[in-house]
Amino acid sequence: MGKPDSFLELKNVSQVYTVGERQFTAIEDFSLTLKEGEFCALLGPSGCGKSTLLRIITGLQAPTGGKVLYRSRPLTGVNPHAAMVFQTFALFPWLTVQENVELALEARGLPARVRNDRALEILDRVGLDGFETAYPRELSGGMRQKVGFARAIAVEPELLCLDEPFSSLDILSAETLRRELLELWTGGRLPTRAILMVTHSIEEAVFMADRIVVMDKDPGRLMTDFKVGLAHPRDRKDRGFEAVVDNVYSLLAGQTEPDHVELGAEPAAPGPTRRLPNVHISDLSGLLEHLESARDHQDDIYALAEDLKMNSDHLLNLIQAAELLGFATVWKGDIRLTPLGETFAATGIIGRKEIFAVRLKRLSFFKWLASILRASEKSRQRWDVIEAALGLEFHPAEARQQLERIVEWGRYAELLSYDDKSRVIYLEPATESPP
Ligand code: ADP
Ligand code: MG
């Protein structure tokens, strides 16, 4: 007998894959207990074994080591109480929306009448009423994904596994679907007891989940596991929300102590006080990608200068920037990616901008600039005014260079804009309210 609250248990699960002659460990010694009522998000760099883990959990695949217990019983074969939603859904194009949903019910052996009633009811619940007789090609991407959700929910799964369910949708459809799923879940309108969702987005995890599990790769393993103590519905602009997002980032950046501030900056320093390393985002990204592909995500700094054919001043600037932003740590001549750095290197342009923005907002230099802009009319200020203000702390040439850097970084993060003609810097609307 397991504990009464043990819903799903993974005990020392490992997965070794054989590719040709070679064997490699995709997942190593992974243990996790999921309770009823939990919405758990699974984060980690691509290739760390998230999808593999979902297949193991739903019984689509047996692990090479360890055990999966479902309601305290070892799982053998496909778990009939679990359902999976994928990034994109293979809907049958020759079947209507309703028939696509009914197919899942047929597979579970439900009689025709029940199938019909249940499909109509579910389609209504996810807001697809009126589209029962439509064919997939007539639907938008967001609606097709809704059919996918409907198909998964129709079988009334106790465990719902989602593998990056929103990542192929446009921003608006994704947000709508997130909110709708949350409404169903928090309103108790799903038969589901627990949700496990793989995502690449830290914000999405904090927006939706009660608990976040972070994995690392090579080999895939559990790194951290913590609770998100925010009530639903959550507001991304809420200070509490931002604080949790910030904490997750810090955790991923290896800065778990709340008062740890990067490279000796004073947390409440009034002015810019901290020189920004003079590097371009593209070069920084290049360094992080290089480390991501290196063994153990680390490299000897000396070897790095050779590998990258880079002069050491430039390299040291890049390393300093990586450290400042929490993407890497330096220790005894080695530089190593933090999980945040890994996530940055492994994700696409939108994910990178999101990560960069959160980190940039933490820098005292950025806070200083943002506070000046906020205090200015229409949240904008002339370049030369700010350059003059910086001139109080830096040599003239350096003041200009520093301003160029923060504006470049801010534009990349979509926190700042700069109009070249009028030479005016302004805050993007989303940055206008103080943190
Ligand atoms: P994630 O979903 O986190 O990106 P996956 O679970 O898809 O990771 O894959 C983890 C690792 O296992 C990757 O290196 C991937 O190439 C490898 N892998 C996944 N499935 C198989 C398979 N069936 N055979 C061999 N290697 C696999
Ligand atoms: Mg995957």
Side-chain angles (χ1 to χ4, degrees):
M1 275 289 290
K3 287 159 264 141
D5 56 2
S6 145
F7 178 62
L8 174 77
E9 268 183 276
L10 299 181
K11 288 186 165 175
N12 315 100
V13 162
S14 58
Q15 177 68 49
V16 175
Y17 283 120
T18 310
V19 182
E21 307 259 283
R22 263 190 67 243
Q23 291 203 321
F24 83 101
T25 306
I27 295 173
E28 187 174 74
D29 197 20
F30 189 100
S31 297
L32 180 77
T33 302
L34 204 61
K35 294 180 187 154
E36 287 198 38
E38 273 186 325
F39 187 144
C40 178
L42 191 59
L43 280 168
S46 78
C48 73
K50 302 179 296 295
S51 297
T52 298
L53 212 53
L54 289 191
R55 286 198 300 274
I56 290 172
I57 286 168
T58 51
L60 292 168
Q61 170 178 341
T64 47
K67 272 194 285 199
V68 183
L69 299 180
Y70 187 76
R71 294 198 180 280
S72 307
R73 293 211 181 79
L75 188 63
T76 49
V78 175
N79 184 345
H81 306 291
M84 185 100 103
V85 173
F86 299 97
Q87 188 174 342
T88 50
F89 254 92
L91 298 175
F92 294 107
W94 60 88
L95 296 180
T96 63
V97 164
Q98 185 180 341
E99 287 163 347
N100 264 290
V101 174
E102 281 193 34
L103 199 68
L105 299 170
E106 198 179 337
R108 304 250 164 157
L110 277 106
R113 267 216 55 138
V114 180
R115 294 202 300 260
N116 181 60
D117 292 353
R118 177 119 32 113
L120 290 177
E121 195 262 321
I122 298 282
L123 288 170
D124 191 31
R125 229 190 299 174
V126 300
L128 279 173
D129 45 324
F131 291 93
E132 296 86 354
T133 56
Y135 286 90
R137 64 168 186 279
E138 300 171 55
L139 305 178
S140 67
M143 285 165 94
R144 275 201 291 268
Q145 192 68 347
K146 254 190 206 182
V147 180
F149 272 103
R151 200 160 74 174
I153 295 167
V155 302
E156 309 207 321
E158 292 182 335
L159 173 64
L160 187 58
C161 291
L162 313 173
D163 199 349
E164 304 185 33
F166 308 109
S167 58
S168 67
L169 300 175
D170 63 273
I171 293 172
L172 289 179
S173 314
E175 189 60 8
T176 307
L177 208 48
R178 272 185 210 113
R179 288 180 192 278
E180 284 167 354
L181 175 65
L182 276 175
E183 264 176 49
L184 291 174
W185 167 250
T186 56
R189 282 150 63 213
L190 287 181
T192 301
R193 315 305 320 155
I195 300 180
L196 186 59
M197 176 178 79
V198 168
T199 171
H200 264 119
S201 162
I202 293 167
E203 270 211 12
E204 181 175 287
V206 176
F207 186 64
M208 301 187 76
D210 312 307
R211 176 179 172 191
I212 298 177
V213 169
V214 184
M215 291 180 74
D216 203 351
K217 73 173 186 181
D218 298 323
R221 60 194 185 276
L222 188 132
M223 205 184 67
T224 27
D225 178 356
F226 54 89
K227 293 209 154 53
V228 178
L230 297 170
H232 285 288
R234 295 174 186 167
D235 178 357
R236 286 194 170 83
K237 293 199 199 74
D238 185 71
R239 292 190 70 161
F241 185 89
E242 290 193 343
V244 176
V245 170
D246 213 47
N247 262 327
V248 179
Y249 276 92
S250 307
L251 212 67
L252 290 171
Q255 299 164 338
T256 37
E257 285 175 62
D259 292 329
H260 180 107
V261 184
E262 39 289 42
L263 290 174
E266 293 297 321
T273 62
R274 286 287 308 286
R275 207 193 134 265
L276 292 180
N278 187 27
V279 302
H280 295 292
I281 312 273
S282 51
D283 291 347
L284 177 64
S285 303
L287 172 72
L288 300 177
E289 283 159 16
H290 179 83
L291 289 170
E292 217 263 335
S293 62
R295 198 157 52 87
D296 297 333
H297 298 152
Q298 63 179 40
D299 209 341
D300 180 90
I301 291 173
Y302 181 76
L304 206 55
E306 298 267 287
D307 288 352
L308 298 177
K309 310 249 176 296
M310 199 176 267
N311 82 43
S312 58
D313 272 3
H314 186 44
L315 179 62
L316 289 179
N317 267 326
L318 283 176
I319 290 173
Q320 213 192 1
E323 252 196 320
L324 181 68
L325 293 159
F327 295 152
T329 50
V330 174
W331 195 67
K332 285 191 178 173
D334 280 348
I335 175 168
R336 189 183 209 292
L337 282 187
T338 61
L340 183 64
E342 286 171 24
T343 310
F344 182 91
T347 193
I349 181 76
I350 294 174
R352 285 185 179 189
K353 281 172 182 269
E354 188 184 306
I355 292 172
F356 200 83
V358 173
R359 298 304 296 179
L360 192 57
K361 281 196 250 176
R362 285 172 64 100
L363 296 188
S364 55
F365 197 132
F366 184 82
K367 287 183 189 163
W368 171 83
L369 177 57
S371 72
I372 290 189
L373 294 172
R374 256 180 232 123
S376 310
E377 206 192 330
K378 292 184 181 162
S379 293
R380 55 186 63 194
Q381 191 49 269
R382 291 202 335 262
W383 175 286
D384 51 348
V385 171
I386 298 190
E387 194 180 310
L390 282 170
L392 301 173
E393 297 205 39
F394 298 102
H395 294 299
E398 182 150 47
R400 167 162 306 174
Q401 193 189 61
Q402 287 290 298
L403 188 52
E404 279 166 6
R405 279 297 68 73
I406 195 75
V407 169
E408 182 201 322
W409 292 12
R411 289 173 90 179
Y412 175 79
E414 296 180 11
L415 298 174
L416 295 179
S417 285
Y418 172 64
D419 180 29
D420 207 30
K421 269 210 203 98
S422 55
R423 297 192 42 89
V424 164
I425 302 168
Y426 50 102
L427 280 179
E428 288 286 352
T431 329
E432 271 174 34
S433 60

